[in-house]
Amino acid sequence: MPEISLSGRSLVAGSAQGELLHAEVGLSFWGGIDPFSGEVIDRHHPLSGATVTDRVLAIPSGRGSCTGSSVMLELILNGHAPAALVLEQVDDILTLGVLIAEQMFGRSIPVLALGPQGFAALRGARHVRVEGSRVEGFATPPAPRETAPATPRVAPWSPSLSLSARDREMLVGAHGKAAQVAMGIVLRMAELQGARELLDITQAHIDGCIYTGPACLRFARQLVEWGAKVRVPTTLNSISVDKRRWREQGIDAAFGEPAAALGDAYLDMGARVSFTCAPYLLDSAPRLGEQIVWAESNAVVYANSVLGARTLKYPDYLDICIALTGRAPLVGCHLAEQRHASLCLELPPLDGLDDAFYPLLGYHVGLLCGSEIPVICGLERARPDSDDLKAFGAAFATTSAAPMFHIAGVTPEAATRDQALGGQAPAKTLRIALADLLESWRELDSADDARVDLVSLGNPHFSFDECARLAALCAGRRKHEAVALVITCGRAIHERAREAGHVAALEAFGAQFVTDTCWCMLGEPVIPPQARTLMTNSGKYAHYAPGLVGRSVHFGSLAACVEAACTGHVNGRLPAWLQAGEAREIPVHV
C-alpha cells in the first residue's frame, strides 16, 4: 500500500514509476541537464551530479532558458529522460517539450502539477508511481505495472476557446501540413494555459535554432519537408556556431555541420538572418504594447520589462509554431492585468555603483522571486542605462521563472511602485541587504585560483555602446599574451562597431570577435583547451559556465575584466559599494 496518495492536474497523460529525485529549487533543463546523459550539470543546484534518467523528477518548476523544451525532447528521444515529471506548478517550457515528443514522434512521459501542499507532501517518499492525475509514494519499490506506449492525439480545444475561420482552416490542413501541425500544438498549449481566445502577433524571435542534439534538427527538417513558412517577420536567436567561420575556428564537423544545418532549416522557413540573443538591439525591436512572440529568456524579459512589449516566456518549438500560424494564446503577459508585480523588493541606500551591480542584483532577485513578477525599489536615482538593464534581465532570467520585472521609476510600466503593483498591496515585501548581495557575489565569483586564462564577454551579445566602452578601456594597452579575450555579438552590431573603428581598436588590444553564436554554446577550441579559469562580467554566464564547460569562473565589472586580461590574474578586491556587506552579513528579512 502506498504511504502517500496525492491528486494533481495531469498536464501530459501517462503512467510510470521510479525512484524519486526531489528538489525544492527550480531547474533549467538547458544548462542544467546534460541532454546526452541525463546528469544534472547546474553546479549551483542541490541535485548537481545526480542523474534524472528513469527516475521520477519532482521540482517546483523549470527556470532559466526557453531551450529547456528542446533538452526535454532530446532526453525523451534518446532514452535519458525522467520516468515522469512532477511539478509544484504548471511549467510551459518543460511540458511543451513532452507535448512535441508525443505529438510528432509518438514518445512521451507523464507530467503533472501537484500544487504547493501536494508537492511538499511528496518529499518524504523514496519511490513514486504516477498514473494520470494520481501520485503514490512508497518506502520501497512498488511492483511494476505494464504501461501502454504513448499515442499522439489530435489536439482538442475547449468549447470556450474561440477560433477564427482561418484558425479552423489551418487546423484541417487547408494551409498545408506544417501550419496544421503547428496550429494543433498551439491549441494544446492554449488548452493547458486556459486561454479563451487566440491573438494576432506582429513578430517572432526563434530560440529553437540552438542545436541541442539530433532531435531539434529532426523537428526543424520535418517542418521544412511539410512546407513550413513563417507568417510574421521572424528573427533567429544565436545558433550554436559562428555560421561563417566555424571551420576556421577548429570546430569539429560532427557538431558544426548539424548546428549550421539547423540554422539553415529556420532560414528555409523564411526567418531573417539575425543570429543574435539580443534582438532588442536590432532595428526591428518592438514598441510599447506590441503583441509579439519571443523566445530566449533574456530577450523575453527585456522585451516585457524594458520595452513594454507583450510576450510570454515562450518555449523552444512553440515559438516557431506560433510564427507559422501568426496566432498565440491570449494569456499571461499578453494581458495588462497579468503584468503587475506581486512581490516588492526594497534596496538599501547605494552609492558609487559600477556595472557589476546590475547582473549581480538580477541574479539575486531571480533567486528570491521564483515565478513571481517583482518590483524593485531604490534605484530611482541610479538611472541604469539599457546595457545595465540588459545585464540585469539576463541574470534575472537565469535564476527566475518569471517573464518580467519592474524597477520603480525606471521601467515603462513602473513610473511608481503603485503602478507596478496595479494599485494593489504586494503579497510580500523583502528588504535586500548588502550582505545578501555579497552571498550571491560569492556564488558567481566562485574560482579559487587568482589566475585568469580567458575573459569572456558578450552574454547576452554585446551592444554597440559596450563595444565603444570596451575600446575606451583598452585604448593604449595590450592584453597579456597568456590570456584570451573573446567577445560575442550579432552581425549587425559587429558591422556598426567595425565602421566606427571599435573592432580594429579591440583587435589591436588582442581581442577576438565571434558572431552568430554566444557563450552559452561555445566550447573548445574557442575556449582554449589549456584554459582552466575564466572571467566574465555576465551573471548569466558566471552561473552556467561551470556546468557547461567545466571551468571555474571569476565575476566582475567590465573594467575588472580588462585588468585581468592585461595582468593574467584578479586582484581579489570587492567593489567599494559591496565592501560594507562583508562586515555586516545579515539575512534577508521580511
Side-chain angles (χ1 to χ4, degrees):
M1 292 291 292
E3 297 181 340
I4 300 170
S5 183
L6 304 165
S7 180
R9 180 186 174 191
S10 175
L11 306 179
V12 182
S15 58
Q17 61 189 53
E19 181 186 0
L20 178 65
L21 189 63
H22 187 283
E24 302 288 345
V25 179
L27 177 64
S28 173
F29 270 44
W30 187 89
I33 296 182
D34 183 334
F36 303 106
S37 69
E39 180 192 346
V40 178
I41 58 171
D42 180 344
R43 300 307 175 211
H44 302 274
H45 197 274
L47 296 181
S48 177
T51 300
V52 303
T53 306
D54 295 330
R55 301 167 85 174
V56 175
L57 177 63
I59 52 177
S61 68
R63 67 178 186 182
S65 178
C66 298
T67 308
S69 50
S70 186
V71 173
M72 175 64 87
L73 179 64
E74 298 288 349
L75 290 167
I76 291 173
L77 296 193
N78 69 24
H80 286 96
L85 181 63
V86 179
L87 302 165
E88 179 180 312
Q89 55 190 289
V90 176
D91 184 277
D92 292 350
I93 292 173
L94 299 181
T95 305
L96 191 278
V98 181
L99 291 180
I100 294 290
E102 180 186 81
Q103 193 78 15
M104 293 186 65
F105 304 111
R107 302 277 296 278
S108 187
I109 63 171
V111 183
L112 75 162
L114 286 177
Q117 290 185 337
F119 185 81
L122 189 64
R123 187 188 307 118
R126 296 187 62 186
H127 301 270
V128 170
R129 175 184 290 146
V130 177
E131 291 191 4
S133 61
R134 299 291 304 173
V135 179
E136 296 176 330
F138 302 83
T140 58
R145 294 183 181 177
E146 290 190 11
T147 59
T151 55
R153 68 178 204 180
V154 176
W157 70 92
S158 168
S160 63
L161 179 59
S162 175
L163 300 184
S164 70
R166 191 176 186 85
D167 295 337
R168 293 175 185 271
E169 288 173 2
M170 281 189 276
L171 194 58
V172 298
H175 297 275
K177 177 70 171 177
Q180 180 183 29
V181 172
M183 179 55 77
I185 291 167
V186 170
L187 291 181
R188 286 200 69 176
M189 285 303 292
E191 177 193 26
L192 182 74
Q193 296 167 332
R196 293 183 175 273
E197 59 183 292
L198 305 182
L199 66 106
D200 292 325
I201 53 107
T202 61
Q203 63 169 272
H205 182 70
I206 306 302
D207 190 50
C209 53
I210 294 171
Y211 185 73
T212 55
C216 64
L217 182 56
R218 185 178 169 188
F219 168 84
R221 281 180 164 166
Q222 182 64 78
L223 290 178
V224 172
E225 288 176 14
W226 287 338
K229 292 295 179 183
V230 298
R231 293 181 177 272
V232 296
T234 299
T235 52
L236 292 179
N237 200 44
S238 304
I239 58 174
S240 297
V241 290
D242 187 327
K243 197 170 186 298
R244 298 172 294 185
R245 297 187 298 159
W246 63 266
R247 289 180 177 86
E248 66 185 73
Q249 291 168 347
I251 304 298
D252 189 337
F255 178 80
E257 289 179 356
L262 182 62
D264 287 336
Y266 283 98
L267 294 177
D268 289 343
M269 297 184 218
R272 171 184 171 185
V273 179
S274 52
F275 302 137
T276 180
C277 58
Y280 40 83
L281 300 177
L282 300 173
D283 56 11
S284 55
R287 298 180 179 181
L288 181 69
E290 190 172 339
Q291 297 283 9
I292 65 173
V293 166
W294 276 15
E296 160 57 39
S297 59
N298 99 84
V300 168
V301 165
Y302 193 97
N304 274 324
S305 309
V306 182
L307 302 181
R310 298 187 176 188
T311 179
L312 304 189
K313 193 174 182 179
Y314 278 101
D316 290 13
Y317 307 142
L318 185 57
D319 51 8
I320 189 62
C321 289
I322 294 175
L324 295 176
T325 61
R327 302 279 279 167
L330 181 57
V331 292
C333 283
H334 287 296
L335 298 163
E337 62 270 20
Q338 296 295 316
R339 298 172 63 84
H340 299 313
S342 59
L343 173 65
C344 183
L345 300 174
E346 297 181 352
L347 297 175
L350 297 163
D351 192 27
L353 300 176
D354 63 15
D355 56 273
F357 170 75
Y358 292 97
L360 174 66
L361 181 64
Y363 182 86
H364 188 76
V365 167
L367 290 171
L368 293 178
C369 75
S371 60
E372 295 180 82
I373 296 174
V375 56
I376 299 99
C377 301
L379 292 176
E380 291 84 351
R381 297 182 180 179
R383 297 184 180 179
D385 63 22
S386 59
D387 290 322
D388 294 330
L389 296 173
K390 175 165 75 81
F392 177 98
F396 171 83
T398 299
T399 52
S400 168
M404 66 182 297
F405 61 84
H406 299 281
I407 300 179
V410 175
T411 53
E413 295 169 76
T416 65
R417 170 184 177 275
D418 287 345
Q419 182 191 16
L421 291 164
Q424 303 296 313
K428 187 166 45 176
T429 296
L430 300 177
R431 295 182 179 88
I432 298 175
L434 284 175
D436 306 319
L437 296 179
L438 178 61
E439 184 177 347
S440 286
W441 179 280
R442 288 171 175 163
E443 286 188 26
L444 296 175
D445 187 43
S446 57
D448 294 324
D449 190 345
R451 191 181 74 176
V452 172
D453 304 305
L454 167 67
V455 175
S456 57
L457 302 173
N459 191 343
H461 275 170
F462 248 31
S463 69
F464 177 82
D465 288 345
E466 285 175 302
C467 290
R469 191 176 306 131
L470 180 62
L473 288 169
C474 296
R477 310 177 77 180
R478 177 76 185 178
K479 75 170 184 64
H480 193 286
E481 62 181 9
V483 181
L485 187 149
V486 182
I487 306 156
T488 63
C489 65
R491 293 185 185 187
I493 295 299
H494 185 266
E495 181 59 21
R496 282 187 62 201
R498 186 192 64 77
E499 291 175 353
H502 301 322
V503 170
L506 288 167
E507 288 178 342
F509 175 77
Q512 174 189 352
F513 279 87
V514 175
T515 60
D516 297 355
T517 188
C518 80
W519 281 105
C520 287
M521 279 77 83
L522 285 171
E524 297 178 5
V526 176
I527 296 177
Q530 70 276 13
R532 305 317 311 158
T533 304
L534 316 181
M535 184 165 188
T536 184
N537 66 339
S538 165
K540 177 177 182 177
Y541 193 57
H543 174 87
Y544 281 129
L548 288 174
V549 297
R551 268 72 167 185
S552 57
V553 179
H554 284 294
F555 169 74
S557 68
L558 188 61
C561 287
V562 171
E563 288 301 315
C566 291
T567 63
H569 64 269
V570 294
N571 60 32
R573 292 193 299 270
L574 291 171
W577 53 266
L578 190 57
Q579 288 176 13
E582 194 169 26
R584 302 193 306 274
E585 296 197 27
I586 56 175
V588 171
H589 52 91
V590 181

